[in-house]
Amino acid sequence: QVQLVESGGGSVQAGGSLRLSCAASGATYSSYSMGWFRQAPGKEREGVAAIDSNGSTSYADSVKGRFTISQDNAKNTLYLQMNSLKPEDTAMYYCAAIGAVQMGTWRLRKDGYRYWGQGTQVTVSS
């Protein structure tokens, strides 16, 4: 089992920045994928960014150039740096993980992940 705990959410004005963190504990995998997903009220949960144990990253088109996913293996922590935030980025953000390297479109699909955090709220006002 893997436990994931997100932090760093909050309220910012449009154009601002936030950095989300996801602390992982429990089982460890030599090969893995981790991702950030978000879900706005009344909408499906969507993939935002993903990274795997090889350091390969993927981003949703809506956040490319604004968000950066990274990891600190020594701290077992995943990050999402969010810049130039827009009101449409408002959502609950979730960290996810699986003990496998996901390929292609599976990297940003919610059914490609096994473990989930409880989420952290991000609100962007105009």
Side-chain angles (χ1 to χ4, degrees), residues 58-106:
S58 297
Y59 295 93
D61 288 343
S62 59
V63 306
K64 280 181 182 176
R66 300 189 299 122
F67 290 11
T68 302
I69 189 170
S70 62
Q71 57 189 348
D72 185 331
N73 292 329
K75 296 182 178 180
N76 291 330
T77 302
L78 180 73
Y79 300 101
L80 185 68
Q81 178 67 45
M82 305 186 295
N83 299 328
S84 302
L85 282 161
K86 305 176 181 180
E88 51 263 44
D89 295 318
T90 294
M92 185 71 80
Y93 282 71
Y94 298 91
C95 174
I98 188 166
V101 173
Q102 296 290 34
M103 305 298 290
T105 57
W106 281 97

Side-chain angles (χ1 to χ4, degrees), residues 38-41 46 87-93 120-124:
R38 66 186 181 187
Q39 187 167 18
E46 62 174 356
E88 51 263 44
D89 295 318
T90 294
M92 185 71 80
Y93 282 71
T120 186
Q121 178 68 38
V122 172
T123 302
V124 185

Side-chain angles (χ1 to χ4, degrees), residues 29-50:
Y29 298 90
S30 57
S31 298
Y32 61 85
S33 296
M34 296 190 75
W36 287 100
F37 289 75
R38 66 186 181 187
Q39 187 167 18
K43 294 189 176 182
E44 291 288 319
R45 189 171 298 188
E46 62 174 356
V48 174

